[in-house]
Amino acid sequence: MPQQALTFEKTLIQPTRLEYLRHLPSQYDPQSSERLPLILFLHGAGERGSDLQQMAVHGIPKVADTLDLPFITLSPQCPVNHWWSDFLPALDALIEESIHTLNVDPARIYLTGLSMGGFGTWHMAVEYPQRFAAIAPICGMGYWAFGFPERVCEIKNTPIWVFHGAKDPVVPPSASQELVDELTKCAAPDVRFTLYPEAEHDSWTETYNNPDLYAWFLSHNRTPEGTRPRHEHF
């Protein structure tokens, strides 16, 4: 009997659970009508697991309290044996829930991540191109299986600041350069690339300790017509 071409279709509902760390800035007042900016941070592969304190060693969870960042920050933890690509709808739902339960400004939502989280930053940004006012991927790359590098042009109008170490032995800096070059080809108007000449894989410590990153985030917000500059300082 010859093979038949058939279709299977069924709606599957799968519960998702993500543990996360949340930082509320010292000026946060739940009774106030003031809306505050939000950063979603995606950690690297070494912080996967079920212990939230594993995440406190790098990135936004490490500096949010000590720098008293003027953002609400969400730092979810990716379970072992998973990648951020497995949780993109859940991450977006976490943002949406925070908009409705906290004083979040929907026009000032920012995305950043390091290493595996840098991969996730690129991927989540193209999946939700209208969500973020600006993104900052650190030592990441775009997987060809998800349509990169060409697909990066879907976020050409999103302000992007890319960071990488020139001596990175884990994720080659050419991975970031490829995406920056693709954005240049599609005439992206607001793309920066910082290549640390002596840094290896850890290009995130200097980045997240730098007040310029947070000032840059705050200089952008998203309107129905796209992103536009703000005059606000960190």
Side-chain angles (χ1 to χ4, degrees), residues 152-153 155-158 160 180 182-191:
V152 78
C153 287
I155 54 170
K156 68 177 183 179
N157 293 319
T158 299
I160 302 170
V180 171
E182 192 70 25
L183 286 163
T184 301
K185 284 196 293 184
C186 58
D190 191 353
V191 179

Side-chain angles (χ1 to χ4, degrees), residues 23 25 59-71 73 75 214:
H23 161 80
I60 294 294
K62 182 178 181 181
V63 303
D65 293 334
T66 56
L67 295 181
D68 191 20
L69 295 181
F71 304 81
T73 72
S75 302
Y214 308 106

Side-chain angles (χ1 to χ4, degrees), residues 170-197:
V170 180
V171 181
S174 58
S176 284
Q177 185 68 63
E178 179 183 44
L179 296 176
V180 171
D181 290 345
E182 192 70 25
L183 286 163
T184 301
K185 284 196 293 184
C186 58
D190 191 353
V191 179
R192 300 184 181 189
F193 184 23
T194 295
L195 187 66
Y196 299 111

Side-chain angles (χ1 to χ4, degrees), residues 105 107-110 133-134 217-223 226-230:
D105 183 351
R108 293 188 290 162
I109 296 176
Y110 310 102
F217 275 146
L218 291 171
S219 72
H220 297 94
N221 73 340
R222 176 168 286 282
T223 69
T227 58
R228 63 181 175 83
R230 291 174 56 88

Side-chain angles (χ1 to χ4, degrees), residues 17-18 43 48-50 77-84 87:
R17 180 187 179 95
L18 283 174
H43 64 71
R48 287 180 292 189
S50 56
Q77 186 168 36
C78 185
V80 172
N81 299 324
H82 284 276
W83 298 84
W84 288 119
F87 294 98

